[in-house]
Amino acid sequence: MIEVKGLTKRYGNLVAADNLNFTVQEGEILGFLGPNGAGKSTTMKMMTGYMPSTEGTVLIDGLDIIDDAQEAKRKIGYVPEIPPLYKDMTVTEYLRFVSELKNIPKKEIKEKIQYAVSKLRLEDVKNRLIRNISKGFRQRVGLAQAILGKPEILILDEPTVGLDPKQIIEMRELIRELGKEHTIMISSHILFEINQLCERVIIINKGKIVAIDSPENLSKRLSTASRLSLRIVGDEEKVINTIKEIPGVQSVSVIGQVEQESYDYNVLSDTNYDIRKRVFFDMSKAGFPILEMKTVELTLEEVFLQLTGLSEKGEGVVEEGESEDE
Amino acid sequence: MNKTATIFKREMKSYFYSPLAYVIISVFLVISGYLFTTSILFTKSSYMQDVFTNMVTLMIFLIPLLTMGLLTEERKQGIDQLLFTTPLGVTEFVMGKFLAAFSVYSIMLVFTFMYPGVLEIFGTPDYGSIVSGYIGLLLVGGVFISVGLFASSLTESQVIAGLVSFGILLTIWLLTMLKSVLSGILVTIVLKIDLFNYFYDFQNGILDSNAIIVYLSFIFVFLFLTTRVIDRRRWK
């Protein structure tokens, strides 16, 4: 569907995108992940033909985005990071304006707008000025604009940025729904979101691709250790010493105290050992009741940090493990 | 061409949804009305020449206000990312903008038809020079607008765009002063680019094809430069 070959963008000495090669396959939702300033937006701007590349090409269904711009652009719906809205227009006026720019025949415009409005549930605000609608709605108008004329590909640059949690969930559902009919590429710096939505993830940092894989594989590939989260009643030191004696255990650390009398522990062990049974029997023998035990997979966040080298392995793990449970 | 109309329509709505067009037209009418009244009372003649001169001078100040936001706002709000990822061409875009500002300007001029009307009641105005005067005004205004549009393409700031176009127009206006200091070929050059010099012909009822061509070339050059600036920025 989309082929990106050797895509490079240089601003003077700064390399915003460095020899990127990847494809977006038909029907998939592809995640494009990277910290702020990694080159996500730049790459997307080149892919949509807003900005030419310094080197390399983007082919949309075999059509070059620069040389066959007219045809190629028709296949793409693009939502930039800040939704490109005229605040002095009503939602319907705006959608009509974009329809005309997109060469949608006059006769079909009404129907196409109708479709976009109902798809993104904008009925209630369609006659209001964009200035006066909430940020969540504005973001949806931005998406509505992109799906006008039913392009095969949607390129969404951080579509949930600045929304409140409820709006984020709604937006995510909408994107998932649109994913049934469109090939989608979505950028984000929020890993959870990508994890939820995407079958495949590209991680980029400083303009370079660091990994392309499914979210699950990425977690697996990088986890050299499995983690066990425990809540055990009893003396801290004794518990730690007992666990340390179990073969395969790499490290034990205390996370803190949540329930009275008990402590929460974080145990890292080799992947080829399953230490859970031993923990159960040893604790039982020592008279320390286990209140909770669960294995925690490495989150995408950690994988991401490892790959982009922003953090040491195993650091900053705790909060992520917990927030995933919510 | 269709999309020029789309851009044009949107821009017109935006002019008249906001107070901008109303304020500019009102200010223009108040000041030009005042100048008309005083000059007619003073000269007691039915000539429009002075009135036209005054209007052109007034435009040096008003047109930058009309054009300064034309290209800055879309860029600032990232809307150009939408525009140029659709099959819209830069030329269509610039033409739509130009025509919108030109239309507001023309509407402004239509209101001033009441001045010849007043002259008709109290005297016998020379309609030939009035018509050619208005043609001249349209052309000069077109040049001013294309200059303003060009300035607007250079920056994201309305204020800077306004100042730049005001600066360019004022410089051209002041060229007249140079004529007395310079000599030889330089005077010829200054005369060639002195837009206001050409305007005297129109004012006096002369439709000079040379002047018309100069004005149209100015418009063309500035519009072309505008499209180049917009293109160039994306290619940088």
Side-chain angles (χ1 to χ4, degrees), chain B residues 142-189:
Chain B
V143 176
F144 286 12
I145 290 167
S146 63
V147 169
L149 203 56
F150 170 69
S152 186
S153 73
L154 298 173
T155 163
E156 272 181 36
S157 153
Q158 287 206 32
V159 177
I160 293 175
L163 281 173
V164 169
S165 52
F166 178 62
I168 298 175
L169 296 180
L170 208 58
T171 309
I172 298 176
W173 191 48
L174 296 174
L175 278 178
T176 327
M177 290 181 163
L178 279 177
K179 274 181 290 190
S180 47
V181 224
L182 298 171
S183 61
I185 184 122
L186 287 173
V187 175
T188 332
I189 294 173

Side-chain angles (χ1 to χ4, degrees), chain B residues 77-89:
Chain B
Q77 295 174 28
I79 303 176
D80 56 340
Q81 290 185 39
L82 162 72
L83 299 175
F84 299 125
T85 51
T86 68
L88 171 72

Side-chain angles (χ1 to χ4, degrees), chain A residues 9-11 45 48-52 66 70 73-74 76 78 80-89 93-94 97-98 100-103 106 145, chain B residues 2-3 5-7 9-11 13-15 17-18 74-89 93 97 233-236:
Chain A
K9 183 78 188 176
R10 275 189 287 269
Y11 298 101
K45 281 178 187 169
T48 51
Y50 173 68
M51 208 164 68
I66 300 295
Q70 292 266 336
K73 281 175 180 175
R74 207 166 297 177
I76 301 179
Y78 171 47
E81 199 170 344
I82 304 155
L85 308 172
Y86 286 105
K87 300 206 174 67
D88 56 0
M89 292 176 115
E93 272 175 347
Y94 171 74
F97 171 75
V98 180
E100 287 178 17
L101 292 185
K102 287 192 174 183
N103 292 334
K106 271 231 154 59
Q145 159 276 118
Chain B
N2 248 338
K3 277 175 244 156
T6 305
I7 298 289
K9 271 187 291 179
R10 206 218 78 78
E11 211 54 47
K13 271 186 201 160
S14 152
Y15 268 130
Y17 278 171
S18 77
E74 268 127 355
R75 227 177 114 199
K76 202 154 79 189
Q77 295 174 28
I79 303 176
D80 56 340
Q81 290 185 39
L82 162 72
L83 299 175
F84 299 125
T85 51
T86 68
L88 171 72
F93 175 63
K97 295 273 179 182
R233 182 171 317 111
R234 286 160 60 219
W235 284 89
K236 206 160 47 183

Side-chain angles (χ1 to χ4, degrees), chain A residues 10-199:
Chain A
R10 275 189 287 269
Y11 298 101
N13 285 330
L14 183 87
V15 185
D18 192 358
N19 192 22
L20 304 177
N21 290 289
F22 61 89
T23 57
V24 185
Q25 279 140 28
E26 189 161 354
E28 76 172 338
I29 302 184
L30 175 73
F32 198 44
L33 201 60
N36 291 326
K40 301 186 298 281
S41 292
T42 308
T43 307
M44 287 185 148
K45 281 178 187 169
M46 289 191 284
M47 291 175 70
T48 51
Y50 173 68
M51 208 164 68
S53 58
T54 315
E55 276 161 42
T57 53
V58 176
L59 298 180
I60 310 291
D61 250 354
L63 297 165
D64 191 291
I65 192 71
I66 300 295
D67 297 336
D68 311 303
Q70 292 266 336
E71 280 302 305
K73 281 175 180 175
R74 207 166 297 177
K75 292 178 185 286
I76 301 179
Y78 171 47
V79 186
E81 199 170 344
I82 304 155
L85 308 172
Y86 286 105
K87 300 206 174 67
D88 56 0
M89 292 176 115
T90 68
V91 173
T92 315
E93 272 175 347
Y94 171 74
L95 293 176
R96 173 171 296 274
F97 171 75
V98 180
S99 305
E100 287 178 17
L101 292 185
K102 287 192 174 183
N103 292 334
I104 296 174
K106 271 231 154 59
K107 281 178 278 176
E108 295 170 30
I109 287 182
K110 209 167 178 182
E111 171 204 326
K112 291 278 156 64
I113 293 177
Q114 191 55 45
Y115 171 80
V117 163
S118 73
K119 195 92 195 169
L120 289 154
R121 297 178 217 124
L122 291 165
E123 282 91 353
D124 293 344
V125 297
K126 69 178 180 188
N127 293 320
R128 288 174 60 188
L129 284 180
I130 292 174
R131 183 195 308 285
N132 298 331
I133 63 178
S134 72
K135 193 153 190 192
F137 273 123
R138 283 187 201 173
Q139 206 83 28
R140 278 199 244 164
V141 175
L143 253 182
Q145 159 276 118
I147 68 166
L148 282 171
K150 275 211 177 178
E152 292 144 63
I153 302 159
L154 294 180
I155 294 186
L156 316 176
D157 197 354
E158 308 240 6
T160 57
V161 123
L163 299 182
D164 69 33
K166 187 167 166 270
Q167 292 167 333
I168 290 181
I169 293 169
E170 284 173 357
M171 181 56 77
R172 206 179 290 143
E173 271 165 18
L174 279 171
I175 293 171
R176 193 173 292 139
E177 213 178 296
L178 290 172
K180 291 174 192 156
E181 287 164 38
H182 305 264
T183 302
I184 297 181
M185 177 164 177
I186 171 175
S187 80
S188 179
H189 61 271
I190 304 162
L191 305 139
F192 180 66
E193 197 165 275
I194 295 284
N195 219 351
Q196 294 273 302
L197 279 169
C198 303
E199 295 115 48

